[in-house]
Amino acid sequence: MTTQFNTFIQLGSNRNLSKFELSCILEKLNVDEVNFMEWRHYVFLSLDSSEQKSFFKTLDFSGSIVKAGTLSFSVKKSDETLWKDIFLDSFTRKLDEASIPMNKKLKFSINIQSRSLDFKKKISNNIRRKLNRYFRERKTQVKILPTKKISADLTPFQFYKENMLKRGLEIFCFDIKSKMFFGFTSWVTNPFKDIKQDEERPERFFTHGTSIKLSRTLVNLSQTPKDGIMLDPFCGTGTILIEGLKQEVKVIGIDKDPKCVRATKANLNHFSEQFHSREKMKEKWSVYMKDSRYVKDTIEEEVDSIVTEPYLGPFLKKLPKIDEAKEIMIDLEKLYVKVLNECVKLLKTGGKIIFIIPEYKYPSNLQISPDISSIANKTKLWLTEKSKFFSLDLPIEIGRKHNIINRKLIVLTK
Ligand SMILES: C[S@@+](CC[C@H](N)C(=O)[O-])C[C@H]1O[C@@H](n2cnc3c(N)ncnc32)[C@H](O)[C@@H]1O
């Protein structure tokens, strides 16, 4: 009756990016091999209990994962008596183990992932009945969501607005082929935290900022170890650097624009004061006003990783003519090769470079971007093509399908 998978992960809207981040998180946790299954926008894993514990702990620092939870049991769909009786008994045992506070009105949400409406109704009614009986016996008031819809996938916003984590639980049921998997949500990304961080930082420039979520993902992709050093040679307002500091990584930022260097320093000081003393954090970061094509003598330390969203070309409201676009990309390629060749001198052998390049999309499937293979060749770096776990190809597109200007994420290794 127990499932071979004990963990589920709900991927974000960019599934490939989310899967890649998940793969890098597992790799950093030294997970060598893992039994997994991909299904729609979910990934199921079998982790041992210490791996599962460390995995849940890292999730607050993930940028693209939406939800994660534990799977408690799986049963064959055809075994109706089994899932009605034995399953529901084990289910209440799980509720006992979950040590839910019984002194408040509790809220439950039932999230049933199935294509069959009949099945959803059946399962939902069964769980409701069992929950009601369970709490009636314990004289606790319980409100079971959703009231109207049969199954509701609570968004992270709803989770935090309704204070679900403090008051109740989300129960998951997956109907996959001939099996049903049951589990509980144990972690949800908190969008309010990012909005607050974004609004409170002293400086942000809308024209060239990287989002907090993407910055967090980029840091995870680099797998920079705790106390290691991460370099951002186009640091802008320092968003990636702050996400590095949060993961106890030392950071170095470079930008050629004095306005950006001032902004980064203000943001890093603000972060330092919020979470630690400014003095204590002073040795964890440094920012230089420099052209990154010529930095070698500025920085003496060896760095573990380079993580950056570089200059992506002139600010454009519409696509330039094709010849003009090609010229922009050739100039960018030259800049990237020069900066990478200079910064790679500081990078440890085996260290990763997480880099973003622009892509212009023209009708009839014409895409124009800097030549990735040529960048790898000219810098003598390895271009990563696959992730350790899961099926996905690199580079990963960042942006939306209908956008005319997009970005691609590449990973290079020294
Ligand atoms: C896309 S922005 C970086 C955004 C940054 N991640 C953030 O969240 O604010 C690119 C930055 O590269 C800087 N830049 C452009 N060319 C440069 C060069 N040759 N050397 C150093 N910085 C450069 C620009 O001033 C700009 O701040």
Side-chain angles (χ1 to χ4, degrees), residues 5-7 9 22 26 34-36 43-47 390:
F5 301 112
N6 60 0
T7 311
I9 291 104
L22 177 60
L26 294 173
V34 71
N35 207 351
F36 68 87
V43 171
F44 301 85
L45 299 173
S46 64
L47 298 171
F390 320 124

Side-chain angles (χ1 to χ4, degrees), residues 192-204:
F192 293 106
K193 217 165 140 186
D194 286 348
I195 294 172
K196 193 166 172 273
Q197 184 186 326
D198 200 24
E199 282 172 354
E200 283 182 356
R201 63 178 149 172
E203 300 286 349
R204 44 187 177 143

Side-chain angles (χ1 to χ4, degrees), residues 208-210 232-240 254-257 260 290-293 309-311 335:
H208 48 267
T210 311
D232 180 351
F234 297 91
C235 71
T237 54
T239 324
I240 297 175
I254 304 169
D255 205 289
K256 68 171 188 183
D257 182 344
C260 287
K290 269 263 164 205
D291 186 321
S292 288
R293 288 173 294 182
E309 173 163 45
Y311 169 66
L335 170 72

Side-chain angles (χ1 to χ4, degrees), residues 140-370:
T140 299
Q141 279 189 60
V142 60
K143 185 176 172 190
I144 304 168
L145 302 172
T147 44
K148 292 192 189 92
K149 278 194 266 161
I150 294 296
S151 119
D153 198 346
L154 288 181
T155 64
F157 280 103
Q158 284 169 322
F159 245 96
Y160 283 91
K161 262 196 198 132
E162 299 179 11
N163 217 353
M164 284 293 295
L165 286 187
K166 283 198 187 130
R167 296 173 66 187
L169 279 174
E170 184 179 40
I171 299 159
F172 254 97
C173 172
F174 298 94
D175 166 19
I176 306 173
K177 291 181 189 152
S178 58
K179 271 190 166 181
M180 299 191 298
F181 296 83
F182 291 91
F184 298 95
T185 300
S186 8
W187 178 87
V188 186
T189 185
N190 184 348
F192 293 106
K193 217 165 140 186
D194 286 348
I195 294 172
K196 193 166 172 273
Q197 184 186 326
D198 200 24
E199 282 172 354
E200 283 182 356
R201 63 178 149 172
E203 300 286 349
R204 44 187 177 143
F205 305 145
F206 292 105
T207 46
H208 48 267
T210 311
S211 79
I212 294 177
K213 266 157 77 79
L214 178 61
S215 300
R216 218 157 38 218
T217 300
L218 301 182
V219 173
N220 278 325
L221 302 186
S222 75
Q223 298 177 38
T224 316
K226 192 177 155 204
D227 292 326
I229 305 179
M230 182 186 89
L231 168 69
D232 180 351
F234 297 91
C235 71
T237 54
T239 324
I240 297 175
L241 302 180
I242 290 184
E243 294 312 310
L245 284 177
K246 280 193 201 161
Q247 295 210 32
E248 296 180 55
V249 164
K250 291 181 187 150
V251 298
I252 303 174
I254 304 169
D255 205 289
K256 68 171 188 183
D257 182 344
K259 213 166 72 215
C260 287
V261 171
R262 270 198 304 277
T264 297
K265 286 185 176 169
N267 285 340
L268 293 183
N269 274 325
H270 172 76
F271 170 81
S272 308
E273 278 159 9
Q274 256 191 326
F275 297 97
H276 311 271
S277 79
R278 194 189 269 220
E279 277 323 297
K280 192 174 159 219
M281 290 300 286
K282 204 75 204 134
E283 66 215 43
K284 307 253 183 217
W285 60 265
S286 36
V287 182
Y288 301 94
M289 192 182 72
K290 269 263 164 205
D291 186 321
S292 288
R293 288 173 294 182
Y294 317 100
V295 287
K296 178 132 190 329
D297 297 327
T298 318
I299 301 164
E300 280 165 9
E301 295 100 317
E302 191 178 46
V303 305
D304 294 82
S305 64
I306 298 170
V307 181
T308 196
E309 173 163 45
Y311 169 66
L312 299 174
F315 184 70
L316 300 166
K317 284 207 173 121
K318 58 178 180 46
L319 278 173
K321 293 203 177 77
I322 290 178
D323 284 348
E324 208 183 315
K326 282 183 181 160
E327 254 175 55
I328 294 175
M329 295 308 174
I330 290 169
D331 284 348
L332 287 177
E333 195 185 307
K334 278 188 201 148
L335 170 72
Y336 299 162
V337 168
K338 183 89 181 86
V339 171
L340 285 173
N341 270 330
E342 186 76 353
C343 294
V344 149
K345 294 177 195 156
L346 306 165
L347 185 67
K348 272 186 186 158
T349 308
K352 286 191 194 308
I353 300 169
I354 313 298
F355 206 84
I356 288 175
I357 60 165
E359 180 185 62
Y360 298 164
K361 280 185 171 176
Y362 288 86
S364 62
N365 271 344
L366 174 67
Q367 289 143 15
I368 301 180
S369 61

